[in-house]
Amino acid sequence: MNYKTTIQFTPEQLAMLKAGLADMSLWYDKESGKVEEHRVSPQTIETMRALAQHIKDMHSVTLAGSGS
């Protein structure tokens, strides 16, 4: 089943997402395909977790509202 979901971000959330991805990309290991999490700032990890939760929350609202 294919479906499309739109997640709304505030300008502040979008800025945090961009900054978090930029920080994480500094520690991306191309060989393993993973981010060396122990080198990413704890603040970035916490911010990214909060944004991931926001995406999950918005996704579940979308599914609940779609009549699925």
Side-chain angles (χ1 to χ4, degrees):
M1 172 169 71
N2 293 330
Y3 58 91
K4 181 178 178 181
T5 300
T6 301
I7 304 296
Q8 297 292 326
F9 289 103
T10 65
E12 294 82 14
Q13 287 172 320
L14 198 54
M16 290 188 304
L17 181 61
K18 288 179 181 179
L21 290 173
D23 186 20
M24 291 172 63
S25 71
L26 294 174
W27 308 113
Y28 178 74
D29 179 9
K30 290 180 182 174
E31 288 184 24
S32 70
K34 296 182 180 179
V35 173
E36 297 176 48
E37 284 189 40
H38 65 282
R39 301 185 80 174
V40 178
S41 78
Q43 180 181 357
T44 294
I45 290 174
E46 187 59 37
T47 297
M48 296 305 274
R49 283 187 179 139
L51 290 170
Q53 186 60 52
H54 171 69
I55 291 168
K56 287 179 185 176
D57 292 347
M58 292 300 294
H59 184 67
S60 63
V61 166
T62 302
L63 289 178
S66 68
S68 296

